[in-house]
Amino acid sequence: MADERDPQISQRYRALGGEEPPPELDRAILAAARRATTRRNRWYPSLAAAAVLVFAVAIVVQVERQPPDQAPMSEPSPPAVAAPAQDKVAPQERKAPAAAPAKPAAGRRAEQAPQFAPEPAPAPPPAPSANVAAPAAGVGAEGERKRADETRAAPQLQRSMGAQRSAASAALRDEVPPDEWLTRIARLRELGRDEEADKELARFRERYPDYRIPEVMAKKVEKQAPAAPAR
Amino acid sequence: MEAPDEELMLAYKTGNAGAFDTLYARHRTRLYRFVLRAVKARAVAEELFQEIWMRVIEARGRYTPQARFTTWLYTIAHNHLVDHWRKRGLTLVALDGEELPASDDPDPADAAQAREALARFAAALDALPALQREAFLLHEESGLSVAEIAAATGSNEEAAKSRLRYAMAKLKAALNDG
């Protein structure tokens, strides 16, 4: 409040002297201020790492909790062909979300591919590769359970399609695009499961008698003289 | 254009040590004199001065520019002074060892007279009740308004204004005595 000032008093007060804090005090305070900011900055990387970790965990949990697609149920390969042996191959072959509505979800989880392919990845698929890559992606535990159920129901499904569930699976199977089916057959071939691949190929030709298999894919799905996996 | 104190303090809060250097350079002298004249003993003043700045450093994370930085700074200073006075039983410390600066007046007689006048003023300032002296120093040394003095000292404006007026009247009387 400037109106409270008295020039005479101010002048006399100023005349009392111009004391200053000693330089060593200045240095000590400024050093403490800098130390404080250094300590603070040291936390930044840790905080950033923790935040990234929390986000990563949250995303993983979210993905895990997502209801599985109907896709895992829709596979062209008949579980009845070799039901006991299929468990090993199941993750690769049965991720077959061929039904059109399931594709976006499968593509979204494409980053889970490593669990799908512990072995060396096959050669890039032929022309319709976009359709092939997406369904080949993730599969959840629930999907596994559903597949196991299907495996048990397979004989009836093959013979009569009597059971309602089997009928539903069969309907989905019919919707599997040929290129996906061929990719799976090629996969069986890669794994050296020629017998199954042969059967599947026969079924494929029965189902799609007019389908012209591209040359590149034909090499993969048809039995070659010395079984050399395409890698 | 220089950055305002509040902006500097916020910059320091986010880790800019250079902002604190600027802030300290702006306020070090006034705060030091305020503390020195409030406690009148250099060693105690230096200790308090350092404690006040340490408090500023520690409290940076909670700083919000709701008022002028100066008001915030002198609120911290006031609290430290109150603690100091409490420890000393609210008694005033005599002006021991306080040396008055020599005048530049070349005439020895005038110089002696000026020194006497200054000594009277210093004694009058010293004799002020602590709260009145604090109000005067906050106003004269630190440039706080009555409202800001009230905020810094945790009192109301009427009380702050009253203390300041009493202090000014006594100092004016000391000036006129000469």
Side-chain angles (χ1 to χ4, degrees):
Chain A
M1 213 184 218
D3 59 342
E4 297 289 339
R5 284 185 193 276
D6 182 309
Q8 269 189 303
I9 292 175
S10 293
Q11 186 184 7
R12 187 59 55 90
Y13 176 77
R14 301 288 158 216
L16 282 178
E19 301 91 340
E20 300 241 340
E24 61 271 18
L25 202 51
D26 289 343
R27 283 194 292 272
I29 290 166
L30 292 174
R34 286 191 181 279
R35 276 197 305 275
T37 57
T38 307
R39 276 201 304 274
R40 181 189 179 92
N41 289 341
R42 244 184 269 150
W43 282 97
Y44 285 171
S46 308
L47 284 175
V52 167
L53 189 63
V54 166
F55 274 117
V57 169
I59 289 169
V60 168
V61 168
Q62 178 68 21
V63 167
E64 288 292 323
R65 287 183 178 175
Q66 273 183 348
D69 307 318
Q70 293 181 347
M73 296 180 65
S74 60
E75 53 186 308
S77 68
V81 172
Q86 286 222 338
D87 283 350
K88 287 181 185 173
V89 194
Q92 290 90 354
E93 332 176 52
R94 294 182 186 175
K95 301 197 163 85
K103 284 184 182 176
R108 190 176 60 241
R109 290 193 276 165
E111 68 273 16
Q112 293 184 341
Q115 71 176 1
F116 161 69
E119 300 147 293
S129 58
N131 285 347
V132 174
V139 64
E142 200 167 336
E144 292 285 349
R145 283 197 299 277
K146 285 181 180 176
R147 282 204 309 275
D149 292 343
E150 274 194 274
T151 303
R152 285 192 292 275
Q156 296 94 327
L157 182 142
Q158 276 240 314
R159 280 192 300 272
S160 65
M161 300 175 78
Q164 186 179 358
R165 181 175 182 170
S166 299
S169 294
L172 285 169
R173 180 192 300 165
D174 286 345
E175 294 173 15
V176 173
D179 54 347
E180 281 185 28
W181 198 342
L182 288 170
T183 303
R184 291 196 186 93
I185 295 170
R187 185 69 176 154
L188 284 174
R189 197 70 77 190
E190 270 182 28
L191 295 169
R193 300 172 64 175
D194 289 332
E195 190 181 342
E196 292 171 51
D198 289 342
K199 286 179 181 175
E200 281 294 294
L201 188 56
R203 285 173 45 74
F204 177 84
R205 285 184 169 139
E206 187 182 330
R207 173 72 180 82
Y208 298 108
D210 298 329
Y211 187 87
R212 186 180 171 279
I213 302 174
E215 193 178 344
V216 179
M217 181 55 86
K219 286 180 183 172
K220 293 181 182 175
V221 298
E222 287 168 359
K223 192 168 186 177
Q224 304 294 311
R231 295 195 180 217
Chain B
M1 184 178 169
E2 289 184 341
D5 292 345
E6 295 74 27
E7 203 173 289
L8 290 171
M9 190 60 201
L10 287 174
Y12 177 59
K13 180 180 176 179
T14 57
N16 181 351
F20 182 87
D21 293 353
T22 307
L23 207 51
Y24 180 77
R26 278 185 196 170
H27 293 276
R28 60 187 276 279
T29 305
R30 287 182 169 186
L31 181 65
Y32 180 75
R33 290 176 193 164
F34 166 74
V35 176
L36 179 63
R37 291 185 176 132
V39 299
K40 294 166 283 181
R42 198 171 296 273
V44 176
E46 287 177 6
E47 187 181 334
L48 281 172
F49 177 77
Q50 187 167 8
E51 284 176 7
I52 291 164
W53 282 109
M54 290 302 166
R55 183 71 182 145
V56 169
I57 293 167
E58 287 166 11
R60 69 193 181 284
R62 297 184 295 279
Y63 174 75
T64 51
Q66 291 172 336
R68 279 211 302 156
F69 169 80
T70 309
T71 308
W72 185 67
L73 174 65
Y74 282 93
T75 302
I76 294 173
H78 166 78
N79 292 338
H80 274 77
L81 284 174
V82 168
D83 286 347
H84 168 74
W85 288 325
R86 276 188 189 141
K87 285 176 193 168
R88 303 214 167 192
L90 289 171
T91 56
L92 294 175
V93 180
L95 196 58
D96 295 336
E98 189 69 23
E99 291 185 9
L100 297 173
S103 166
D104 293 333
D105 198 327
D107 186 332
D110 289 349
Q113 195 174 4
R115 284 172 64 87
E116 281 177 19
L118 206 53
R120 275 199 305 278
F121 182 82
L125 179 60
D126 189 36
L128 288 176
L131 293 176
Q132 290 179 19
R133 185 170 60 248
E134 185 186 34
F136 170 76
L137 292 172
L138 286 171
H139 184 61
E140 188 66 42
E141 183 66 70
S142 310
L144 267 60
S145 68
V146 170
E148 288 170 332
I149 293 169
T153 57
S155 58
N156 58 50
E157 282 193 38
E158 280 306 307
K161 192 169 187 175
S162 172
R163 287 170 193 163
L164 186 56
R165 279 188 175 163
Y166 273 113
M168 299 287 275
K170 289 174 185 172
L171 292 172
K172 185 80 175 173
L175 280 179
N176 294 333
D177 277 353

